Amino acid sequence: MEEEEKKQIRDLEDLPGVGPKTAQKLREAGIFSLEDLAVSSVHELVEKAGLGEETAKKLLEIAQDYVGQGFVSAYDFYNSRKAVERITTGSKALDDLLGGGVETQALIEAFGEFGSGKTQLGHQLSVNVQLPKERGGLSEPDKPAQAVYIDTEGTFRPERIVQMAKGVELDPDSVLKNIIFIRAYNSDHQISIVKKIPSLIHEGKNIRLIVIDSITAHFRAEYIGRSNLAERQQKLNQHLRDLLKLATVYNLAVYVTNQVMAKPEGFFALDQQAVGGHILAHAITYRIFLRKGKDRTRIARLIDAPHLPEREAVFRISEEGVRDV
Ligand code: GTP
Ligand code: MG
């Protein structure tokens, strides 16, 4: 494509061969921008947006070219807008373990047994993301950060959010208002909720954190037995890819929980390479294993982090929330 031609592409409708109808189909499939398109797959475009395979391939190529290469000024803009930011957990020790807090453009999985603090941390992050940037959150003046909280187990407690909000001296009512809470009733529902998040963002919501507590419970309950294991894994991997894509495209953090008795081996056999080609190649996943320690403390162990050593941090859960010991 000539440079001149590229410069004119701003919206989906500007793409060659995309009329209002196709643009509409793309939007219904959750693709609102060239960036969204660039991280889609041919399969998605065919299955969900009803495009022909050839058209899908062509559009993908153009969008990736636009976003990823060539058009330098847009690329720079895209990247500067998407610098990695961090949300404090409320504990300096835990933040340090994670390299300075919970990162945007990344997915963090907390796993551990019952009562180990997975849900508490999800509540705390939903509050802390709303702190101003200088206090470890992602709110900007006149632009409060918002969280989407997807609850699969019925353990979300607004009363606990109020306590935690008071604990960081934020107004409890506005904190509650900036948490978009939704109960997911089965795995398909959970998947479809995640797919609707781009439309919330395009409506103007400033979503900087997605919590799913728990990401695995429905999948475990619905896909029982060895024969269903492959299908479960495939669906779960696709769900994770959807989440990583959101994290990357919208510069937000994703926190998911997973109840397990012991350190599982490869439960999330997520193939980083398959996540979305070159654009998502840098998408990062962190896994922390939580367990109960002495005197009501909690111990977090960082597992498999690509650039951080495997080590531990001790924190506690107090009336005000997650804190240092
Ligand atoms: P499962 O969902 O059952 O797998 O457990 P989980 O890992 O989500 O545990 P959760 O985050 O619910 O942790 C529960 C623990 O947090 C409790 O046992 C308490 O120790 C602590 N906790 C919860 N609420 C409060 C509170 O209001 N005050 C204090 N001090 N501690 C709390
Ligand atoms: Mg829980």
Side-chain angles (χ1 to χ4, degrees):
M1 216 182 348
E2 294 302 317
E3 284 301 314
E4 272 314 296
E5 229 176 294
K6 271 185 217 162
K7 276 180 193 149
Q8 287 154 17
I9 300 177
R10 296 242 175 267
D11 293 313
L12 295 173
E13 276 94 344
D14 301 332
L15 291 165
V18 176
K21 249 194 179 156
T22 308
Q24 183 58 29
K25 279 192 208 166
L26 288 169
R27 290 191 182 102
E28 279 163 15
I31 297 162
F32 293 87
S33 64
L34 293 171
E35 285 86 354
D36 293 341
L37 184 60
V39 294
S40 305
S41 66
V42 171
H43 177 78
E44 246 178 307
L45 296 178
V46 172
E47 293 294 310
K48 287 168 205 150
L51 301 186
E53 195 167 325
E54 281 312 305
T55 316
K57 274 187 195 156
K58 185 142 183 270
L59 288 186
L60 210 54
E61 209 172 284
I62 296 170
Q64 286 178 350
D65 187 36
Y66 171 88
V67 172
Q69 298 140 19
F71 192 16
V72 174
S73 59
Y75 185 53
D76 285 347
F77 170 66
Y78 179 58
N79 279 306
S80 64
R81 186 161 60 89
K82 292 168 32 13
V84 168
E85 296 176 284
R86 289 186 172 81
I87 307 165
T88 181
T89 60
S91 153
K92 175 91 171 50
L94 188 52
D95 285 353
D96 288 347
L97 184 79
L98 294 165
V102 169
E103 276 187 8
T104 61
Q105 300 181 48
L107 184 147
I108 171 167
E109 175 203 349
F111 66 102
E113 61 172 349
F114 70 94
S116 56
K118 305 181 293 294
T119 297
Q120 292 299 308
L121 195 51
H123 281 61
Q124 189 71 62
L125 290 170
S126 304
V127 173
N128 288 4
V129 71
Q130 301 185 43
L131 288 165
K133 289 195 176 175
E134 61 276 13
R135 291 183 58 205
L138 299 180
S139 283
E140 294 166 70
D142 303 319
K143 204 177 159 203
Q146 294 175 300
V148 171
Y149 195 108
I150 304 170
D151 182 11
T152 73
E153 305 189 304
T155 52
F156 178 75
R157 294 286 173 272
E159 300 79 13
R160 188 63 179 134
I161 295 291
V162 169
Q163 280 180 326
M164 288 176 169
K166 287 179 181 160
V168 291
E169 284 157 3
L170 288 179
D171 172 49
D173 286 344
S174 32
V175 168
L176 284 170
K177 281 180 195 155
N178 283 320
I179 299 173
I180 300 158
F181 168 76
I182 184 154
R183 186 77 202 270
Y185 291 100
N186 55 55
S187 65
D188 284 336
H189 187 212
Q190 185 179 323
I191 290 167
S192 81
I193 290 167
V194 166
K195 290 194 189 292
K196 285 187 191 118
I197 292 176
S199 64
L200 289 177
I201 295 171
H202 288 273
E203 275 163 23
K205 299 243 185 296
N206 183 29
I207 295 166
R208 305 304 311 278
L209 171 73
I210 299 170
V211 173
I212 307 189
D213 184 23
S214 114
I215 189 162
T216 43
H218 284 317
F219 288 91
R220 282 223 181 89
E222 292 164 29
Y223 297 88
I224 306 161
R226 276 189 95 75
S227 57
N228 292 314
L229 207 62
E231 194 189 345
R232 178 180 87 181
Q233 209 56 32
Q234 192 216 336
K235 284 217 169 182
L236 199 48
N237 280 348
Q238 181 56 49
H239 188 42
L240 286 167
R241 274 187 210 106
D242 289 348
L243 287 163
L244 273 174
K245 192 154 114 177
L246 289 176
T248 312
V249 173
Y250 298 107
N251 194 20
L252 50 82
V254 177
Y255 171 81
V256 304
T257 72
N258 181 13
Q259 197 202 64
V260 282
M261 290 314 198
K263 216 170 120 170
E265 297 306 329
F267 186 74
F268 279 179
L270 181 63
D271 179 359
Q272 291 277 353
Q273 287 307 317
V275 166
H278 66 285
I279 289 171
L280 291 187
H282 64 290
I284 285 175
T285 55
Y286 293 96
R287 312 184 69 213
I288 50 170
F289 177 55
L290 297 180
R291 64 183 200 274
K292 294 176 224 176
K294 272 189 201 135
D295 301 327
R296 312 187 63 205
T297 58
R298 296 292 185 281
I299 303 159
R301 182 171 186 81
L302 186 70
I303 314 257
D304 299 337
H307 57 284
L308 295 171
E310 190 168 303
R311 46 203 177 92
E312 292 189 341
V314 185
F315 64 98
R316 70 193 164 94
I317 302 166
S318 76
E319 207 61 27
E320 291 80 37
V322 173
R323 292 291 184 275
D324 278 320
V325 173

